[in-house]
Amino acid sequence: MSEVFGINPGDAGAVALLTLVVLLILTGKLVPRRTHEDALADRDNWRRAFLESEAARKVEQEHTEELLKMAELGGRILTALPHPGHAADEEVTAGARMDPTPRERP
């Protein structure tokens, strides 16, 4: 057999083997099956939660990009609209007409 902690388990008695098992448990190299299965289940739960979170984040990012494009378009539309009273420093009066051609009288 191979040596563990410098001791050949075949040459040791029952007390030495029990001491070795206790040392392995205390150092964390030997864990009960239930503890190991709980750790695996916990890992799987965290992995599933992470994948769900990443999927939701991706959808949110796509929606945010779409909203930013719409906001940019709205900003461009608003800046393209004429500003009454500020266009070419002309003042709008009550007598102003939409069509600048003079009216012909019959």
Side-chain angles (χ1 to χ4, degrees):
M1 275 181 129
S2 64
E3 292 185 359
V4 179
F5 291 123
I7 301 171
N8 189 356
D11 296 338
V15 175
L17 287 177
L18 181 61
T19 305
L20 178 64
V21 169
V22 169
L23 282 174
L24 288 173
I25 290 172
L26 291 176
T27 58
K29 297 191 186 318
L30 185 63
V31 293
R33 178 181 299 205
R34 186 182 336 173
T35 304
H36 179 66
E37 289 172 353
D38 288 345
L40 290 178
D42 192 41
R43 179 200 63 189
D44 293 340
N45 287 338
W46 279 107
R47 180 177 289 150
R48 189 178 322 104
F50 171 75
L51 292 175
E52 288 175 7
S53 172
E54 285 299 304
R57 187 189 60 77
K58 184 178 179 182
V59 169
E60 180 183 4
Q61 183 179 10
E62 290 171 357
H63 288 173
T64 303
E65 287 176 4
E66 184 178 333
L67 289 172
L68 285 174
K69 288 178 185 177
M70 291 174 63
E72 183 180 334
L73 176 64
R76 287 184 182 173
I77 289 173
L78 287 176
T79 55
L81 290 176
H83 301 286
H86 295 87
D89 294 333
E90 293 180 8
E91 200 170 311
V92 179
T93 62
R97 296 181 49 215
M98 295 281 291
D99 186 13
T101 58
R103 284 191 226 174
E104 294 180 20
R105 294 189 179 197

